[in-house]
Amino acid sequence: MPANHHPPVYEARYTWTPFQLLSGVWTGRLVAFRVDERGVTLGGAPAKYKSQTAFVPWQDIEAVVLWQQHLTVGAPTMHYVGVRRRPGAPPLPGQNSSLDRQQTSRLAGHVDHEVFLASRHINLWSLDRARLTEAVGALAPGVPVEEVAEGQVSS
């Protein structure tokens, strides 16, 4: 690898929110999701960013998982990205961290409980699947990027 070659880091940032402007957190856009040589950063919700942001090292990751949630007929589909972690990995902070298996099953029965807890809603930011797949392939070649469709259960 040439000395000036940098791994293809993938990063998505939140768009500006009124919370950032009102709270004084306006010096930079918050990281919503990041893939780098160390692992995956799952950004917290903008209003609770510091307490909900989680970092997952590559050695704890079995797959990066894309999935969707359909709440009601006619409502927009909610898109998520998360990680399937090795069994026994420590709990992660986040907006879903207090949900139990029954709740996650009711909300998205096609998604494994642990994946649901280690996921972030793609809201106020966008995901570029091709760039994500390229970065994961270069930084963690043994880690697949998977998509779990409704009607299919994640492992």
Side-chain angles (χ1 to χ4, degrees):
M1 184 181 300
N4 63 352
H5 178 75
H6 298 285
V9 170
Y10 176 78
E11 182 175 272
R13 292 182 175 263
Y14 286 107
T15 56
W16 286 106
T17 66
F19 171 78
Q20 283 180 271
L21 299 173
L22 294 173
S23 67
V25 186
W26 50 270
T27 56
R29 288 174 42 208
L30 302 173
V31 172
F33 183 79
R34 180 180 169 92
V35 172
D36 62 29
E37 62 280 348
R38 297 180 322 121
V40 173
T41 300
L42 303 165
K48 296 182 179 182
Y49 188 76
K50 286 185 181 180
S51 66
Q52 291 183 351
T53 296
F55 173 75
V56 185
W58 286 118
Q59 63 265 22
D60 286 353
I61 299 174
E62 294 181 346
V64 174
V65 181
L66 305 172
W67 58 279
Q68 299 175 1
Q69 180 183 29
H70 301 282
L71 297 175
T72 59
V73 175
T77 300
M78 297 172 64
H79 297 269
Y80 290 82
V81 61
V83 293
R84 183 174 340 101
R85 300 179 313 138
R86 67 170 172 76
L92 297 176
Q95 57 209 44
N96 299 329
S97 63
S98 65
L99 298 176
D100 63 31
R101 285 185 189 280
Q102 185 177 17
Q103 291 169 308
T104 60
S105 179
R106 192 172 49 249
L107 292 168
H110 63 293
V111 177
D112 176 76
H113 173 70
E114 295 299 326
V115 171
F116 193 111
L117 298 181
S119 293
R120 296 299 188 262
H121 180 211
I122 302 170
N123 185 31
L124 300 175
W125 61 283
S126 60
L127 181 96
D128 182 327
R129 183 183 177 141
R131 286 189 50 230
L132 169 65
T133 302
E134 177 187 352
V136 171
L139 296 164
V143 175
V145 175
E146 301 175 350
E147 187 156 350
V148 177
E150 279 201 67
Q152 170 188 351
V153 178
S154 66
S155 339

